[in-house]
Amino acid sequence: GCVLVVSVIEQLAQWHNSTVKAALERLCDYIPGKYQIICHMFCCIDREMNADVVCHSLRLCKQDPGQPLCHLYSPPKREKHSSGFFCALAHARPKCQIIYKIFMGFSSVCGFPLLANLCEKFKYVLRNKLPFEDFDGDKFSTFPTLRGYHWRGRDCNDKNTTVYPGRRPDNWDAESDSNCNGIWGVDPKDGIPYEEKFCKGAGSKGVVLLGDSAGAHFHIPPEWMTVTQMSAKSFANLPMAFSDELDWPQFSEITGFLNSTIGGWTDSLYLRLRKRNRCNHRDLQNISQNVYFPINIAPYLSFSLARNQLLDNPAIVIYATIGNDVCNGDRDTLAHMTTPKEMLSNVVQALRYLDSHLPNGSHVILTGLVDGRFLWDNLHDRYHPLGQLNKDVTYSQLYSFLDCLQVSPCSGWLTPNETLRNLTSERALQLSNVLKEIARSEKFANFDILYMDFPLKQTAEEWHKMGGEPWQLIEPVDGFHPSQIAAALGTGITWQKALREWPQVLGKENPFNAQIEAIFKDQGGH
């Protein structure tokens, strides 16, 4: 994080031909309010020091005994041999001692008074994967971020625990909107409740995603580090992004519902289900998390899933941990990957929990793992946004830097070692076959199980037909996650497969959709 921020400051100075101090002030002017504490930490930067030297001098970066020296940039040019870095560091440290002492006066970034409250909120939502603002405790919220309605359908009464998206209507919602789909009241022409008239027998279903950072739609805006295009507008979304954990579920492939503001367009399984049956309005849950290690979903389902077997509509549950079971930042990455035996145990455990909580008539779709060799093949020799100004940082360099720090999102795929990349894909295929066998052989009382491969190949082919390049399907800053374009294209491919092979999952098209929109158009907002 330090290296990224310092790189931006130094490039701002270069681009605007200004001093580092002026560039720092410019960046601080761009960044909203309380987040400016981040940029004020770096007032000791010198144009002669690269970002690695500054961050080591601040002691935000360090070299542990017996570990290699991790750096994103080439060592300073004053000396070609390795001691050039340490010479620059000795020159820099005195300038940074005051900032270092101030910073170390707090136990962490969360120790800063202006950020402490925000950190406490983060800890709550990360621990529980539930809305921070939820006054009635029904796991739905009227607040967008901090696991609010960007992640789950918006609550329409946060003071009544029996009112929430996805429930079966109470007395056909003759007097109030108990399921928050905007349809309620009685038709004065015949005295029949609108919910009964339009939604009875329509097969209403919600959509639930159990996923990883790809499902949460992790995204760091490239404009945050592209100095040639940087302005205050670039950081307008920073508070929202931080309070959503740098995820954008509101634009995602499964639960997206807002028009994308991060490039591309929004298309999602939820939006298509809603278009097919307007009674499905707001019935969505994105239970995904940003972790770079194998996920056993079962333990946190008990407190994060919101579905009442007796009171709620059935749901389509997408189980999609497309990379975490083979991705980690460990040096011996293969030893830390999920084994087929562990995969079988973890998934069956989650399915048993779902069977005890999902309403009858639900469906579970298991999604296979991605073949991540696509990442290295299409990005390694391209310039990262940080390297575009001076042509000095490729994705290969970024991957090596993260791997050295042991924080790589996927050491097995983001590596120049072709053998390791192939072994990682072999394990991913083995785990996908486990999922395929579960779908074939396991039976549950309240849902059927289906399997589909992750549609990367079809997505790339579709994008090529549209004139696009493969690298555009990958997030530009982290060089790892699917981009907004990939998410939208993947939705269309998945939907067409479902129409052909699983029409029972999608349900019937509601013949009253137009009438619902005409009567309740002002109550259809998300």
Side-chain angles (χ1 to χ4, degrees):
C2 175
V3 170
L4 292 178
V5 174
V6 173
S7 297
V8 168
I9 295 169
E10 292 183 335
Q11 290 186 22
L12 271 173
Q14 177 186 346
W15 180 249
H16 292 282
N17 195 26
S18 71
T19 63
V20 169
K21 181 180 178 182
L24 182 62
E25 291 173 351
R26 184 186 297 271
L27 179 62
C28 288
D29 287 341
Y30 291 162
I31 293 177
K34 58 187 175 184
Y35 297 90
Q36 291 182 359
I37 188 68
I38 298 170
C39 62
H40 285 304
M41 288 165 51
F42 299 100
C43 62
C44 70
I45 301 174
D46 188 316
R47 279 284 289 270
E48 299 302 315
M49 301 184 248
N50 69 29
D52 296 309
V53 173
V54 171
C55 293
H56 276 267
S57 66
L58 283 169
R59 302 186 190 180
L60 296 176
C61 297
K62 61 180 180 177
Q63 182 183 12
D64 290 333
Q67 297 294 327
L69 175 69
C70 302
H71 56 90
L72 181 62
Y73 297 91
S74 299
K77 294 180 179 179
R78 66 183 70 189
E79 297 182 37
K80 293 183 179 179
H81 50 80
S82 61
S83 62
F85 179 89
F86 297 102
C87 178
L89 185 57
H91 172 73
R93 275 239 160 101
K95 299 182 180 182
C96 296
Q97 285 303 305
I98 295 175
I99 300 301
Y100 170 69
K101 290 177 181 178
I102 293 172
F103 183 77
M104 293 308 292
F106 301 98
S107 59
S108 69
V109 172
C110 291
F112 286 97
L114 292 174
L115 298 181
N117 184 46
L118 185 62
C119 285
E120 285 304 310
K121 294 180 179 180
F122 282 157
K123 290 175 184 177
Y124 175 87
V125 298
L126 290 173
R127 183 172 60 249
N128 299 287
K129 298 167 190 70
L130 290 173
F132 183 80
E133 302 283 354
D134 178 16
F135 298 107
D136 57 12
D138 60 7
K139 302 182 181 179
F140 294 90
S141 177
T142 59
F143 190 75
T145 60
L146 293 168
R147 293 277 169 166
Y149 68 76
H150 282 172
W151 299 80
R152 300 164 183 259
R154 185 172 183 167
D155 203 342
C156 53
N157 186 342
D158 209 17
K159 297 179 180 179
N160 187 337
T161 189
T162 66
V163 175
Y164 55 85
R167 68 157 292 167
R168 292 172 184 154
D170 179 19
N171 193 29
W172 291 114
D173 284 357
E175 297 182 1
S176 63
D177 188 8
S178 67
N179 57 17
C180 301
N181 68 359
I183 303 169
W184 65 285
V186 176
D187 188 340
K189 297 177 182 177
D190 52 22
I192 299 174
Y194 286 114
E195 181 91 36
E196 181 180 7
K197 177 177 287 191
F198 296 145
C199 301
K200 184 178 182 180
S204 300
K205 296 174 184 174
V207 60
V208 178
L209 173 64
L210 308 178
D212 51 21
S213 53
H217 205 27
F218 186 86
H219 166 82
I220 299 175
E223 56 268 26
W224 288 2
M225 53 192 68
T226 307
V227 299
T228 56
Q229 304 167 19
M230 193 174 289
S231 67
K233 186 179 178 181
S234 305
F235 294 94
N237 56 11
L238 188 144
M240 180 187 72
F242 274 12
S243 53
D244 265 337
E245 307 158 48
L246 293 177
D247 294 323
W248 309 73
Q250 68 273 31
F251 308 140
S252 65
E253 180 175 354
I254 303 300
T255 62
F257 60 89
L258 295 177
N259 292 330
S260 173
T261 60
I262 57 173
W265 64 98
T266 301
D267 191 3
S268 71
L269 176 60
Y270 162 73
L271 281 178
R272 292 192 177 222
L273 285 170
R274 182 189 183 278
K275 183 178 180 181
R276 194 171 182 82
N277 180 4
R278 173 61 178 73
C279 301
N280 293 328
H281 182 59
R282 290 192 188 176
D283 194 356
L284 63 102
Q285 296 179 55
N286 190 320
I287 307 174
S288 300
Q289 58 178 329
N290 297 336
V291 292
Y292 297 114
F293 50 80
I295 300 174
N296 184 0
I297 285 177
Y300 68 81
L301 278 178
S302 60
F303 51 82
S304 57
L305 177 67
R307 214 65 179 181
N308 186 303
Q309 203 163 39
L310 299 177
L311 297 179
D312 298 348
N313 286 319
I316 302 171
V317 178
I318 312 296
Y319 188 109
T321 56
I322 65 171
N324 283 68
D325 287 286
V326 296
C327 285
N328 57 72
D330 294 286
R331 292 276 161 79
D332 53 344
T333 181
L334 291 170
H336 289 81
M337 293 179 186
T338 301
T339 65
K341 183 178 179 180
E342 290 168 337
M343 189 74 165
L344 176 63
S345 174
N346 291 344
V347 175
V348 170
Q349 184 183 356
L351 292 174
R352 286 173 180 163
Y353 180 86
L354 290 173
D355 196 38
S356 66
H357 286 77
L358 290 179
N360 189 263
S362 296
H363 311 274
V364 175
I365 300 175
L366 304 178
T367 304
L369 279 69
V370 69
D371 185 349
R373 289 176 293 193
F374 184 88
L375 302 168
W376 179 270
D377 291 347
N378 290 288
L379 279 186
H380 75 276
D381 56 353
R382 296 188 62 83
Y383 288 111
H384 185 268
L386 278 180
Q388 289 174 4
L389 182 64
N390 295 309
K391 303 293 185 278
D392 57 354
V393 178
T394 63
Y395 283 95
S396 177
Q397 288 171 261
L398 175 71
Y399 295 156
S400 296
F401 178 54
L402 296 176
D403 191 55
C404 179
L405 293 170
Q406 298 182 47
V407 295
S408 171
C410 198
S411 294
W413 277 323
L414 308 183
T415 173
N417 186 332
E418 184 179 6
T419 300
L420 183 54
R421 297 199 304 271
N422 291 338
L423 288 172
T424 304
S425 288
E426 286 178 20
R427 178 61 61 86
L429 181 59
Q430 291 170 4
L431 299 183
S432 294
N433 287 335
V434 170
L435 296 175
K436 194 178 298 185
E437 178 59 22
I438 290 172
R440 187 192 69 80
S441 61
E442 296 287 339
K443 304 297 178 187
F444 293 89
N446 290 305
F447 55 81
D448 55 4
I449 312 176
L450 306 158
Y451 171 84
M452 68 171 292
D453 290 318
F454 186 83
L456 177 60
K457 182 179 179 182
Q458 301 95 310
T459 300
E461 290 172 351
E462 186 68 24
W463 184 232
H464 179 71
K465 291 177 186 176
M466 297 170 68
E469 297 289 338
W471 58 267
Q472 294 169 316
L473 299 175
I474 308 168
E475 274 295 314
V477 173
D478 63 59
F480 177 65
H481 293 93
S483 69
Q484 183 66 33
I485 293 171
L489 289 174
T491 296
I493 293 166
T494 300
W495 184 263
Q496 290 304 317
K497 177 181 174 65
L499 284 176
R500 291 192 308 269
E501 302 178 20
W502 316 320
Q504 78 281 7
V505 173
L506 305 180
K508 300 178 295 183
E509 188 156 353
N510 192 328
F512 299 107
N513 282 336
Q515 288 176 260
I516 296 172
E517 289 294 345
I519 297 173
F520 297 101
K521 61 183 178 180
D522 294 330
Q523 299 179 42
H526 285 92

